[in-house]
Every structure is written in C-alpha cells, then in structure tokens.
Amino acid sequence: MTVRKGKKLTISIQEHMAIDVCPGPIRPIRQISAYFPRLSPTAEPISPNPAFPLALSPGVGASGGTSRSLLSPLQAGARGGGGTLSAASSIETSVDICSSDSDDSTALGTLEFELRYERATSSLHCTIIRAKGLKPMDFNGLADPYVKLHLLPGACKANKLKTKTIRNSLNPVWNETLTYIGITEEDMHRKTLRLSVCDEDKLTHNEFIGESRVALRRVKPDQTKRFYTCLEHPPPVRDTYTHNLLEERGRLLLSLQFLAPPAEGETEGRRGGLYVGVLRCAHLAAMDVNGFSDPYVKIYLKPDVKKKSKHKTAVIKKTLNPEFNEEFFYEISLSELVHKTLEVTVWDYDLGRSNDFIGGVCLSCHVQGDALRHWMDCLRNKGQRVERWHILTNELPQTACHD
C-alpha cells in the first residue's frame, strides 16, 4: 500500500516485489518438455528458438508514457523464426523412441538371447548370444561382463546359472547355452526369467550393470524364440511379496507306481503296493563351504504309527545334481493309500554334526499343484509308472523331522 509522508512517496516491499516479479498478467507455466522436445529421427529440424517466443503485446505505445510494456507469448500457429511443436506431437514422438529397440535407446546396453522349452525332457535352454553398448564400469572405460540367470519367483543360489566372463569389452559375444532341468509346464505359465548383466571385479565385489526380464509364458513348447531387449535398472522390491514366498531349493524327479495285489493263485509278478522311485535332483542349494552339497533323500509315508515307513537313499558326495535311481516299496492297499501323505525330503550329509535340511515336497490328496496331479495320476493309472519333476522348498509341514 502506498503511503504519503509529506512530499515523499514511499512504496511498500509488497508493491516493490510485485512490480519487479510480475510485470504483466499471470500466464500458465509451460512444461519443461515443451522447450526440450524428443524428436523421432524422421522429424523435421526445428529452430533453436523457444517454442513460444516472447513479443511485445499489441496496444503498447512506442513512447512508453506511464504504461508498462507487457510480455506475452505468440498465438498458436505463429512462427518466430522457426517451427514449433505442440505438446501432443512431443508425447507421440517420445513414445516411438522408447518403444524402439535401437542401440542408443538405453544407457545400460542391449542383450540378445534365445529361449527354447523342450516338453519331452522338461528342460529350458537359454542361449546368451551377445550384448551391445554396455555401460563402462572400469577405469579403462570398459567392462568385464558376464550374464547370470534366475527364475522368479523364488530366486536363489539354487537356480542361478552363469556364463563365462568376457574381458575388456562393451560389446561381448558369448554364444553360450545354459540349461534348466526339471522345468514343468506350470513353471512356464507362472515363472519369469531374469537375466542380469554384471561386471566382474577380482579385487572388489562384482558390479551390476542392468537386467532384462521375460515371462516364460511367451515361449511356446519346442519352439525357439529370440529376444532383443534393452537392459533396465531392477524394479523396487516389495517386502509384502518376499515374506510370503517360499525359497526354492532345487528340483526332484520322482516316479510313482501303484500295483494292485495279485489275484489268488498268481505267484509271478511284483507285489501289490506303492513303488516310489527317487531318480535324480537338479540345481540343489549349496550347503557346504566348497559350494556343493552331499545330498541324500529320505521318504516317509505318513501318518506312520509303527515308525516303519522311513527309507533313505545313498549319499552322493560333492554335487548339486545327484543321480540316485533307487526305488522303494510300501505294501499298502489303495483304500489306505488315499488317506496317506508321501513326504520326500532332501538332506545334506555332514560328518560329526547334524545334517542340513535342503528342501522337500509332500504328495497327497490335500496338496495343490504338481504334487496333487502326480499323486492323483498314480492313483488313477494303476500299474503305470508316472514320472514328474517337483520343486523343493525350504519349508514343510511339521511332519518333517531330522534323523
């Protein structure tokens, strides 16, 4: 507010700021993207002048007088020495660039690989072909890249696969195939493959460069699919998910066969009951300091009132992919077997101390997923041997016990 004191004119600080900062009517603030539009390679070049050049508003006298000159943007469609871009066209071109797979569309680099799922062998083959334009990680402006694979959810050391390291390169070529064994069709529908590119450092810890994630449901059985993806930063981890997920500890291949008791007068043939074959394991979790385990398998048929249902395989030393090929027999009728639960657990043998629990699986009429399907196939198809891979998890019902 202006206050007169005698002949001297005094201006308040509010009026002083209003005059200096707001010389004209308030205009909408432009977005920063309007001044720095992202253009497609085929777009016409524009003038370096701002999108809305400033000009004197009409009606201002040349002599100035007591009126102040107002600055205002030109009207839409006016040219100030060059073409202007609308906000809509700016957004459209940025989407085209982000959606392309060009080498310069990411600062982390690109990764080329192939995936093939073989249904007959339950195996997933991942061929890492090459990477381009990786981010430099070392002082020499290069990197020592390698690729590691994880299956999500349930990523852990048990399902990690890793390529060789290419020294001093930002455009490495691997042409290396990594294979997951025991991948079921259920895994192909619900799991995601994470491919992480890292820089190896011998003196310090390895550094993360970028990653790419592919939903396995995009891969059709017995068909090779090639991917060319841009590496990205990992998404934030949500604790609500990590607490509810079980940790996967490997895969187990089981065979089940139920034979009806032989008819009266028949002496040849196998006895009637349940035959459980423990064939092999794959991608087991390493429990020893040498990076391996000494695995063996225990099976129970519960409830086990007489404590006579326990069977054990032999111990296979220093391996994460043991082959057992052992078979065990339970003399039981079909009506009794319906109410039983087959508990299969894998352990790491340690001399002189308690053995470490690696993982296990339960098969019965009261479970879900592959375990339920395997159990029901065995009960329905009497006399047939049914094989299926199972995921070993780090938690089991309270029935799991130590020796």
Side-chain angles (χ1 to χ4, degrees):
M1 180 178 181
T2 304
V3 181
R4 291 184 179 274
K5 293 183 178 179
K7 296 182 179 180
K8 187 177 180 181
L9 180 64
T10 303
I11 302 178
S12 65
I13 187 63
Q14 290 84 358
E15 290 180 317
H16 177 74
M17 295 298 296
I19 293 173
D20 290 345
V21 179
C22 302
I26 298 177
R27 302 287 182 178
I29 299 176
R30 299 278 299 167
Q31 294 185 356
I32 191 66
S33 59
Y35 295 95
F36 300 95
R38 299 181 63 183
L39 301 179
S40 62
T42 58
E44 296 181 358
I46 64 171
S47 171
N49 295 340
F52 282 87
L54 300 179
L56 290 175
S57 61
V60 179
S63 60
T66 57
S67 63
R68 299 183 56 88
S69 298
L70 300 180
L71 294 175
S72 62
L74 292 177
Q75 299 296 327
R79 301 289 180 179
T84 60
L85 287 178
S86 63
S89 62
S90 175
I91 295 176
E92 290 175 0
T93 52
S94 66
V95 171
D96 291 340
I97 289 180
C98 293
S99 61
S100 66
D101 287 336
S102 59
D103 289 348
D104 57 353
S105 62
T106 173
L108 302 179
T110 59
L111 182 64
E112 184 179 358
F113 58 94
E114 291 180 347
L115 295 181
R116 179 181 178 86
Y117 174 66
E118 294 183 358
R119 180 182 293 170
T121 58
S122 299
S123 57
L124 175 65
H125 304 281
C126 180
T127 302
I128 309 298
I129 301 175
R130 65 174 64 89
K132 291 184 179 180
L134 295 181
K135 178 182 178 182
M137 303 299 292
D138 299 334
F139 291 109
N140 59 1
L142 301 175
D144 302 321
Y146 66 92
V147 181
K148 60 181 180 179
L149 311 181
H150 287 97
L151 287 176
L152 305 176
C156 62
K157 293 183 178 180
N159 60 36
K160 182 183 78 171
L161 298 179
K162 178 182 173 183
T163 67
K164 61 184 179 182
T165 301
I166 306 298
R167 300 292 177 186
N168 298 324
S169 177
L170 299 181
N171 301 283
V173 177
W174 288 280
N175 287 326
E176 184 175 350
T177 300
L178 305 175
T179 302
Y180 279 105
I181 301 175
I183 302 299
T184 64
E185 293 189 20
E186 181 181 355
D187 293 327
M188 296 299 296
H189 284 89
R190 70 182 183 90
K191 284 191 174 292
T192 298
L193 180 66
R194 180 176 68 189
L195 303 95
S196 304
V197 182
C198 301
D199 171 59
E200 181 179 299
D201 286 324
K202 293 184 177 180
L203 301 180
T204 60
H205 63 279
N206 298 339
E207 296 179 299
F208 177 84
I209 298 179
E211 71 170 30
S212 179
R213 302 191 180 197
V214 177
L216 295 183
R217 61 177 176 269
R218 298 175 59 184
V219 181
K220 297 181 179 180
D222 302 319
Q223 295 184 15
T224 301
K225 186 175 181 64
R226 176 168 291 197
F227 295 87
Y228 188 84
T229 61
C230 297
L231 297 178
E232 301 176 347
H233 294 286
V237 179
R238 298 184 179 181
D239 295 337
T240 55
Y241 293 147
T242 56
H243 290 314
N244 296 331
L245 293 177
L246 295 177
E247 180 183 351
E248 294 185 9
R249 297 292 186 88
R251 306 289 170 123
L252 172 66
L253 180 59
L254 289 177
S255 69
L256 298 179
Q257 182 183 24
F258 179 80
L259 293 180
E264 295 182 1
E266 294 183 1
T267 57
E268 298 181 357
R270 308 177 73 183
R271 294 180 296 170
L274 177 65
Y275 291 85
V276 180
V278 181
L279 304 181
R280 60 180 299 191
C281 293
H283 312 298
L284 291 181
M287 307 301 290
D288 298 334
V289 293
N290 59 4
F292 295 97
S293 295
D294 302 322
Y296 69 95
V297 179
K298 292 192 302 182
I299 61 174
Y300 293 88
L301 194 60
K302 298 186 176 184
D304 185 17
V305 180
K306 297 181 180 180
K307 305 294 182 181
K308 294 182 178 180
S309 70
K310 176 183 173 182
H311 292 286
K312 288 172 56 176
T313 68
V315 178
I316 309 297
K317 295 289 186 177
K318 293 183 180 180
T319 180
L320 300 180
N321 301 280
E323 294 188 10
F324 300 100
N325 293 320
E326 299 187 32
E327 188 175 64
F328 305 98
F329 172 73
Y330 292 102
E331 188 172 359
I332 189 173
S333 64
L334 182 61
S335 59
E336 296 175 330
L337 188 59
V338 173
H339 304 286
K340 295 287 187 177
T341 297
L342 181 66
E343 180 183 282
V344 186
T345 54
V346 183
W347 302 79
D348 170 54
Y349 176 78
D350 288 322
L351 182 62
R353 53 184 182 145
S354 61
N355 300 329
D356 298 322
F357 174 72
I358 298 179
V361 62
C362 291
L363 292 83
S364 70
C365 298
H366 309 290
V367 295
Q368 297 178 352
D370 288 333
L372 175 62
R373 283 188 284 271
H374 195 186
W375 188 254
M376 297 305 297
D377 289 344
C378 172
L379 298 182
R380 293 168 181 168
N381 304 314
K382 303 179 185 65
Q384 297 183 12
R385 185 185 302 273
V386 184
E387 294 183 5
R388 190 180 289 269
W389 284 94
H390 297 276
I391 299 176
L392 301 174
T393 58
N394 61 326
E395 292 184 10
L396 276 181
Q398 299 297 326
T399 52
C401 58
H402 297 267
D403 287 336

